[in-house]
Amino acid sequence: MTTSTPGQRDRNATLDPTVRNALRSPKLLRTEVLAGLVVALALIPEAISFSIIAGVDPRVGLFASFTMAVAISFLGGRPAMISAATGAVALVVAPVMKEHGYDFLIATVLLGGLIQVLLAVAGVAKLMRFIPRSVMVGFVNALAILIFEAQIDHMIDVPWAVYPMIAIGIAVIVGFPRVNTVVPAPLVAIVALTAFAIISAVNVPNVGDQGELPDSLPSWFLPDVPFDLETLRIIAPYALAMALVGILESLLTAKLVDDITDTHSDKTREAWGQGAANVITGFFGGMGGCAMIGQTMINVKGSGARTRISTFLAGVFLLVLVVGFGDVVALIPMAALVAVMIMVSVGTFDWHSIQPATLRKMPKSETTVMVATVVVTVLTHNLAIGVVVGVLVAMTLFARRVAHLTETHREVVVNHDGTSQVVYTVTGELFFASSNDLYTQFEYADDPDRVIIDLTRSHIWDASTVASLDAITTKYERKGKTVEIVGLNDASAERHERLTGGLAAH
């Protein structure tokens, strides 16, 4: 029987960072605990800000962040990812709060969570494979810009002392890891700047200025709304939008964390876990939420967390801090949190993607997709809209590029009996973008009476191609000529046989 030393256990846990291994490894457990604390501190002003966007009391956003984080730590499919109240969800549900009130807002959150569970069961997570890398790069870069942009409000019309404090905070975050890697640098910056602000009594904005912190625990809440079709008509559009935005941002964040940690996550579990977490949050009077990319980057990249422990503790610490130590937390200068988020922004941006050497090597279509994703996301302040536009641009450019790869070769063959026939050899993929041009590639008037279309090197993908082939055949027949289509593979032959003659011709 062999026993392992503490050092060996730490090394093994680092290689396999599961909850069990983290609990057995003091080094890894310390990392998870401190990471959860840093994230909790960063969540407080964010949750308050998102509450203001949604038009609700700050405690609604804070309690939502607590319940989302704790629930997703058990239910989610991506360890170490942080879910809480978010700006994207706040923007979606804000009109409900403004026009119909708090109870309808909570009803929207509950329905949105149920829709997310249904979408997960329907397999929406599988759609992630259709998001190209260029869209992901644009998503990450836009995220970094939005994180930085969100800090600008905290640097305008503020006392002069804020600027050197932000600079010092950034210097600590950059330089401290060279001295010590045990304690997360963001936590050191927050503690140091808070201590300085208290000791020097310098007058700078702090967390307490962002809104009133709660002094009691969240309680069970049932929305007082009519249970009828009229209520469904009011909340359904917003609930669907919330569900789609939440799932999209969460799955994109999970994919990003997968890439950073070189691990895989269960996207389907994450999708229904988000829905279940929103339902739980709604029953505790929270405003709903989804994965928080900025805080996830603090947790994974800034603090080195890898397990569900950090996510769970982020929620627990958040509640303990705002309820039990609200007076102390309120004294944290916003400059400290701004410094943390600026460094998160810098670390999140893919600087390699905009280097001149990279841009020269990258196809123009890929760069166009990335830029479109960034521009739309930054202009709309909505990551989901930016990603959808990026995917649509990528699909359009891909279809255009593939369509241009289709070629038609014409060859006239003279038979032994002196008659002639023409053979058109089509090479490339045939779908709506390429097959529409196929109709114009034939010399209808000059061709002999027998025409052969050889599709050995092609594949029929859709009804548009079958319609184009029908139109070509019909035009030749009007001129008294016969057309024979040969070389179809099994899938193409089945599709052609099933659809031919039943589609409108040109």
Side-chain angles (χ1 to χ4, degrees), residues 336-406:
L337 299 175
V338 169
V340 172
M341 297 308 292
I342 287 177
M343 290 311 300
V344 168
S345 172
V346 172
T348 301
F349 197 92
D350 186 350
W351 298 100
H352 177 73
S353 66
I354 62 171
Q355 291 180 357
T358 303
L359 295 175
R360 283 194 298 269
K361 295 177 182 177
M362 195 68 65
K364 291 182 180 179
S365 59
E366 299 282 319
T367 303
T368 301
V369 171
M370 180 190 73
V371 172
T373 305
V374 171
V375 171
V376 173
T377 301
V378 172
L379 289 179
T380 63
H381 283 66
N382 191 314
L383 291 163
I385 294 177
V387 169
V388 170
V389 170
V391 171
L392 291 176
V393 172
M395 290 170 60
T396 302
L397 294 178
F398 174 76
R400 180 174 178 271
R401 187 164 62 248
V402 173
H404 288 170
L405 297 178
T406 303

Side-chain angles (χ1 to χ4, degrees), residues 406 426-432 434-435 454-462 465 469 487-493 495:
T406 303
V426 182
T427 303
E429 305 302 316
L430 297 177
F431 62 110
F432 61 91
S434 58
S435 60
D454 185 358
L455 300 181
T456 304
R457 300 177 182 175
S458 300
H459 185 92
I460 298 176
W461 286 103
D462 59 7
T465 303
L469 292 173
L488 291 170
N489 59 40
D490 292 341
S492 297
R495 185 172 288 112

Side-chain angles (χ1 to χ4, degrees), residues 228-306:
D228 56 19
L229 292 178
E230 178 61 19
T231 299
L232 183 63
R233 184 191 65 78
I234 293 172
I235 68 175
Y238 299 102
L240 179 60
M242 171 191 161
L244 293 175
V245 168
I247 281 185
L248 183 57
E249 288 207 23
S250 298
L251 294 183
L252 284 172
T253 306
K255 190 174 187 300
L256 186 60
V257 177
D258 290 350
D259 294 338
I260 293 172
T261 61
D262 290 326
T263 57
H264 296 286
S265 58
D266 187 338
K267 303 296 190 303
T268 299
R269 177 178 174 180
E270 182 61 39
W272 69 254
Q274 289 289 333
N278 272 307
V279 171
I280 293 171
T281 297
F283 280 127
F284 279 95
M287 57 182 273
C290 62
M292 295 195 74
I293 306 167
Q295 274 65 25
T296 298
M297 291 300 100
I298 292 177
N299 197 45
V300 176
K301 292 191 73 173
S303 302
R306 291 294 183 269

